[in-house]
Amino acid sequence: MLSIFAITLLLGVLVGFLAGMLGIGGGLIIVPALVMLLPAFGIVPADQAIVVAIATSLASVIITATSSVAAHHRLENVPWNIASTVMVGAAVGAWAVGYLAHNIDAGVLQMIFGCAVLLLALRMLGSRAAVGKRPLPGKLPTMTISAVLGGVASLLGIGGGALFVPMLNYFSLDMRRAIGVAAASGIAIAIFGSLGYVVAGWQHYQLTDGFIGYIYMPAALGIVTTSVFTAPLGAKLVQHLPVLTIKRIFGIFMLLVSAKMILS
């Protein structure tokens, strides 16, 4: 338990920085890392690692995303009139899918994760515009889209930035504000998605073994202990980068993660 805690402390440094810079919540790093670490340390069998990794990722994203949002709010990157609508939809989708995700085959879940991220990476890398030209739809359509994306994010154990940033940027929100709103949506996804995984996993794992439902708490605590300090650093850096550069970094990062998940 102490060994994996020490490793996740280091993992949290990277997770927090990228969460602040890209609004991703950190799940794109946490899930692949835990899928390898949990069976290696004998914490869960390999065929159960993906569900535990996703649940643990969501739990850690609650704190990481909150730290990221606080930093983006100070930098005036969070338009709360938009963020509130997105958060409500994301919460509904995340809760529903978090409760049902354990019924999906682990191999299928990992392939869905990799393919979804690959498509998003190609979309970001192929974009030549700093911001889309279509206006954001009304509240109900925005909430509906957010519910679908929130459900997918909960299924994948990510804060939602990889899904929400491209969507918001397509609907004419500049990258910095899209990252701020995506980070805010990550809080809603993480809270309600985590609750779903706790309820679904309560009968499968014991609190005395470090679990709350499907969430493995030593790993979650290790990640958040360091990520809360590095998330504000990432948020500050994004203020000084050209918008298209941010999109390219975002796309390359997602391409690497998708390759790892599909090929593993």
Side-chain angles (χ1 to χ4, degrees):
M1 187 177 292
L2 288 175
S3 297
I4 196 167
F5 179 76
I7 293 173
T8 53
L9 283 173
L10 297 174
L11 183 63
V13 174
L14 179 60
V15 165
F17 184 77
L18 290 175
M21 186 170 72
L22 302 177
I24 59 171
L28 288 171
I29 302 171
I30 298 168
V31 173
L34 291 183
V35 165
M36 292 184 291
L37 289 171
L38 292 170
F41 281 90
I43 296 165
V44 295
D47 63 345
Q48 298 174 25
I50 185 71
V51 176
V52 175
I54 287 171
T56 304
S57 171
L58 284 173
S60 66
V61 165
I62 296 173
I63 306 301
T64 303
T66 300
S67 178
S68 175
V69 169
H72 280 291
H73 175 73
R74 288 192 295 270
L75 296 167
E76 300 182 347
N77 286 342
V78 187
W80 287 105
N81 59 323
I82 298 172
S84 58
T85 302
V86 171
M87 290 175 76
V88 171
V92 173
W95 163 258
V97 173
Y99 182 70
L100 298 172
H102 67 289
N103 293 315
I104 301 174
D105 178 79
V108 172
L109 192 57
Q110 186 163 323
M111 188 59 67
I112 291 172
F113 185 105
C115 291
V117 176
L118 174 61
L119 291 173
L120 289 165
L122 295 175
R123 172 72 181 84
M124 294 297 284
L125 289 171
S127 174
R128 295 182 180 276
V131 63
K133 295 185 170 75
R134 295 172 181 264
L136 197 69
K139 282 194 173 184
L140 185 57
T142 299
M143 201 175 293
T144 303
I145 294 170
S146 298
V148 173
L149 296 182
V152 174
S154 179
L155 183 67
L156 303 180
I158 60 179
L163 303 173
F164 282 92
V165 170
M167 183 271 285
L168 293 166
N169 188 242
Y170 175 77
F171 285 121
S172 73
L173 211 63
D174 69 84
M175 279 297 289
R176 292 183 182 89
R177 294 203 302 161
I179 288 170
V181 173
S185 74
I187 299 174
I189 292 166
I191 291 173
F192 287 89
S194 293
L195 287 174
Y197 281 101
V198 167
V199 173
W202 196 257
Q203 302 298 321
H204 298 276
Y205 291 98
Q206 301 298 316
L207 185 63
T208 52
D209 294 327
F211 287 89
I212 298 179
Y214 280 118
I215 299 168
Y216 185 58
M217 289 306 297
L221 290 172
I223 292 165
V224 302
T225 298
T226 49
S227 65
V228 294
F229 297 106
T230 54
L233 299 178
K236 288 180 181 178
L237 177 62
V238 81
Q239 293 295 104
H240 304 291
L241 291 175
V243 173
L244 283 175
T245 299
I246 300 170
K247 294 184 80 167
R248 297 294 181 266
I249 293 171
F250 200 98
I252 292 169
F253 168 73
M254 292 194 298
L255 196 62
L256 293 172
V257 171
S258 68
K260 174 62 183 174
M261 293 301 288
I262 290 171
L263 297 174
S264 65

